[in-house]
Amino acid sequence: MTVKYTPEHEWIQLEDHEAAVVGITLHAQDALGDVVFVELPEVGRTYAQGEVAGVVESVKAAADVYMPIAGEVTEVNEALRNDPSLANTDPMGNGWFFKILIKDMGQFDALMDEPDYQKFCKDNA
């Protein structure tokens, strides 16, 4: 499965050629600390790339969750809403935030791959 990353520390993983899963990265989770609340986007709403699609709150801070690419939200992770700590224990798995129907694969292709994202994190530490 292809995973890409944003400079705002979201990850997006293709499920097929037009659907993807979005969440926050381990780096974001480490920076935030213990997540205590998440606000998830509205199912059926279309967001532009970079638009705020949710909020994650921790014991340290609150941070916006940005739409990594343009798309329509098709599902949100109700388990995460009920247990925000999933964003801490499994941010790249069960702690996913929402699923989208991709509007522009070019935007996906332009995001960072794993090595580029690791370099970005190191360079911006």
Side-chain angles (χ1 to χ4, degrees):
M1 297 256 192
T2 304
V3 179
K4 297 278 193 151
Y5 301 87
T6 71
E8 295 78 31
H9 307 288
E10 288 90 20
W11 58 265
I12 179 168
Q13 178 177 327
L14 287 182
E15 288 195 308
D16 61 36
H17 65 282
E18 61 183 23
V21 182
V22 177
I24 62 171
T25 65
L26 287 167
H27 179 87
Q29 183 276 316
D30 286 344
L32 285 166
D34 291 336
V35 174
V36 295
F37 174 78
V38 294
E39 180 181 310
L40 300 172
E42 179 184 336
V43 172
R45 180 166 169 209
T46 298
Y47 292 83
Q49 183 178 34
E51 189 175 353
V52 174
V55 176
V56 59
E57 294 181 14
S58 72
V59 293
K60 291 184 189 176
D64 290 330
V65 176
Y66 299 94
M67 185 64 93
I69 62 174
E72 178 187 338
V73 176
T74 58
E75 184 179 344
V76 296
N77 187 351
E78 292 296 341
L80 181 65
R81 189 189 317 265
N82 296 328
D83 183 7
S85 70
L86 288 171
N88 295 108
T89 57
D90 194 11
M92 301 289 292
N94 290 329
W96 61 275
F97 277 60
F98 52 90
K99 296 184 180 185
I100 64 169
L101 189 61
I102 298 168
K103 297 287 184 200
D104 181 353
M105 274 305 293
Q107 290 178 346
F108 178 85
D109 293 338
L111 296 174
M112 291 179 276
D113 61 14
E114 176 80 23
D116 289 340
Y117 179 69
Q118 293 304 327
K119 182 179 183 321
F120 173 82
C121 290
K122 183 179 172 193
D123 291 349
N124 293 281

